[in-house]
Amino acid sequence: MNYDTTNYQDTWKARRVLVTGACGFVGRWLAEALTLCGAHVTGLTWDQKLDSTPFGHGRSQDIDFISSDITDTGFVSDCLRDREIDTVFHLAANNCNIGVSISPYTIFETNIRGTYSVLEACRLSTAIRRIVVSSSREVEKIQLGSRNDGIDHVKSRGKHHPYAVSKLSAELIAQTYADLFSMPIAIARLSNIYGGGDNNWNRLIPGCIRTLLQGEAPVMRSSGNLRRNYLYISDAVRAYLELAESLSGSAAFGRIYAFGSSEAVSAIEVVEQLCQLLGRSDLRPIISTKSEGERVDKQEVTDGLCQLDEWKPKVDFETGLMNTVEWYKNTHQGNTTSGLDPAVVKSYEY
């Protein structure tokens, strides 16, 4: 997966950047892209067994990985000070967003306490110039409106899963720090991100690809008719970089920005395309319809939220899906060492 970093090198060259969740799917691609732009990147991860395997463009060795609990404000503060960090991308999160397989306490500790711990460390730093906090469209299940469109209250329109609640809380915490301390914080809500390197097999695209590569029929937890907006990983990285660059004036502080595609695709359409790309049209998907509370995306993903001027995705869904399939096929065939171990099911992004 190649990045055109020409437009970003002037901004990021020699900058000192911290990426939390740097061993997660999106965090790894973002951290590697930043190194291509000439930034000095520190990757914060929870796992002491750090995986320095590159995802595709061989720059993981340029990331300085460190392991710690993001709720340790003292450690994060020391990291920001000692490494003279000027930009923080806070992507670390527990991404268990369906079912009850993990306790609410664990999700809240990581996603809520982790957010205010990182932001408090940023508040105590004198060098921070940009902070981007990653949120989720899952908050739309339980929240209508935001301060961006003048609505200052929350209305429920779905069941309150701990993940959605935690990400909405993280947004409010980020806005609080931005308001009270004029901190350069922006919040990003991205559509469903997909691409090579996602080892969370509970997600539709990587899970289906792995199943098909194993010669098995994919099992769908929903009816397959729900439509979602998808964003290819390289466009997600561009979104984070350009959002951080936009934090040059206080008008952007505390705002929530939406990034996504206007093209909504049903789950069954995704599976059928993957079957064709992998030459397994003989494996018909099994519809289980066991899942409840699945989010239904609107056709447009930016209603009531801020948008960056002239930003739009560059990779269409068909191309992105082909690129994704090729990445996993190469991995499955042993051309990389990232692996498609069916025992590795990551619900964490950090």
Side-chain angles (χ1 to χ4, degrees), residues 111-168:
N111 297 0
I112 298 177
R113 185 180 175 192
T115 297
Y116 67 69
S117 296
V118 169
L119 293 181
E120 179 66 10
C122 291
R123 185 182 71 85
L124 298 174
S125 170
T126 59
I128 296 297
R129 297 294 178 266
R130 303 173 177 89
I131 306 165
V132 174
V133 174
S134 175
S135 185
S136 169
R137 292 204 63 199
E138 289 293 316
V139 303
E140 296 170 13
K141 288 182 179 179
I142 60 172
Q143 184 247 5
L144 286 176
S146 69
R147 74 178 186 179
N148 294 339
D149 56 15
I151 300 175
D152 59 2
H153 58 279
V154 175
K155 295 180 180 179
S156 174
R157 71 176 189 185
K159 293 183 178 180
H160 288 57
H161 190 277
Y163 176 75
V165 171
S166 70
K167 297 304 283 186
L168 179 57

Side-chain angles (χ1 to χ4, degrees), residues 303-347:
D303 294 349
L305 302 177
C306 291
Q307 303 174 53
L308 287 182
D309 292 341
E310 300 181 359
W311 191 95
K312 60 181 180 180
K314 292 184 176 180
V315 181
D316 61 74
F317 186 66
E318 182 178 357
T319 301
L321 211 57
M322 288 191 294
N323 292 343
T324 303
V325 166
E326 286 303 308
W327 192 97
Y328 284 103
K329 283 174 63 178
N330 290 336
T331 302
H332 184 69
Q333 294 166 358
N335 296 340
T336 74
T337 57
S338 298
L340 279 171
D341 184 355
V344 180
V345 181
K346 296 182 179 179
S347 292

Side-chain angles (χ1 to χ4, degrees), residues 30-338:
L30 174 61
E32 291 193 8
L34 283 162
T35 65
L36 288 173
C37 296
H40 303 294
V41 181
T42 298
L44 182 60
T45 176
W46 71 279
D47 193 349
Q48 294 184 1
K49 297 179 181 179
L50 302 178
D51 177 13
S52 59
T53 302
F55 269 10
H57 37 67
R59 298 305 295 264
S60 288
Q61 71 274 11
D62 296 328
I63 304 169
D64 185 8
F65 287 105
I66 57 175
S67 176
S68 179
D69 187 339
I70 58 168
T71 64
D72 186 343
T73 302
F75 180 90
V76 179
S77 292
D78 292 343
C79 174
L80 297 180
R81 182 191 65 246
D82 297 343
R83 295 163 184 262
E84 300 179 322
I85 300 294
D86 57 65
T87 302
V88 173
F89 291 92
H90 178 47
L91 275 62
N94 183 311
N95 278 352
C96 181
N97 60 9
I98 59 173
V100 292
S101 61
I102 194 168
S103 74
Y105 179 87
T106 302
I107 295 173
F108 292 158
E109 277 288 286
T110 301
N111 297 0
I112 298 177
R113 185 180 175 192
T115 297
Y116 67 69
S117 296
V118 169
L119 293 181
E120 179 66 10
C122 291
R123 185 182 71 85
L124 298 174
S125 170
T126 59
I128 296 297
R129 297 294 178 266
R130 303 173 177 89
I131 306 165
V132 174
V133 174
S134 175
S135 185
S136 169
R137 292 204 63 199
E138 289 293 316
V139 303
E140 296 170 13
K141 288 182 179 179
I142 60 172
Q143 184 247 5
L144 286 176
S146 69
R147 74 178 186 179
N148 294 339
D149 56 15
I151 300 175
D152 59 2
H153 58 279
V154 175
K155 295 180 180 179
S156 174
R157 71 176 189 185
K159 293 183 178 180
H160 288 57
H161 190 277
Y163 176 75
V165 171
S166 70
K167 297 304 283 186
L168 179 57
S169 299
E171 287 187 355
L172 294 171
I173 289 167
Q175 289 181 325
T176 299
Y177 273 87
D179 287 346
L180 289 182
F181 305 109
S182 296
M183 290 173 61
I185 302 171
I187 302 156
R189 286 189 197 170
L190 278 65
S191 292
N192 301 274
I193 304 171
Y194 70 101
D198 185 359
N199 285 340
N200 186 340
W201 311 118
N202 290 318
R203 295 193 181 111
L204 175 63
I205 292 176
C208 182
I209 292 174
R210 188 194 69 168
T211 300
L212 291 170
L213 287 173
Q214 293 173 339
E216 302 172 2
V219 178
M220 304 185 65
R221 62 175 181 249
S222 72
S223 65
N225 295 320
L226 298 179
R227 306 185 73 82
R228 295 283 182 87
N229 301 96
Y230 291 92
L231 189 66
Y232 188 56
I233 183 62
S234 63
D235 283 326
V237 168
R238 286 181 48 244
Y240 281 118
L241 293 178
E242 293 182 22
L243 181 56
E245 291 177 11
S246 73
L247 286 167
S248 57
S250 59
F253 296 0
R255 295 292 185 179
I256 303 172
Y257 291 80
F259 299 92
S261 168
S262 60
E263 179 185 7
V265 185
S266 72
I268 192 65
E269 289 171 339
V270 173
V271 173
E272 289 174 347
Q273 288 187 54
L274 290 175
C275 288
Q276 289 183 346
L277 288 170
L278 287 163
R280 296 310 307 256
S281 297
D282 57 311
L283 296 174
R284 303 303 301 167
I286 300 170
I287 309 296
S288 67
T289 65
K290 292 181 179 180
S291 181
E292 296 181 358
E294 292 277 357
R295 188 184 77 246
V296 180
D297 288 350
K298 297 179 181 179
Q299 186 71 14
E300 297 293 335
V301 303
T302 55
D303 294 349
L305 302 177
C306 291
Q307 303 174 53
L308 287 182
D309 292 341
E310 300 181 359
W311 191 95
K312 60 181 180 180
K314 292 184 176 180
V315 181
D316 61 74
F317 186 66
E318 182 178 357
T319 301
L321 211 57
M322 288 191 294
N323 292 343
T324 303
V325 166
E326 286 303 308
W327 192 97
Y328 284 103
K329 283 174 63 178
N330 290 336
T331 302
H332 184 69
Q333 294 166 358
N335 296 340
T336 74
T337 57
S338 298

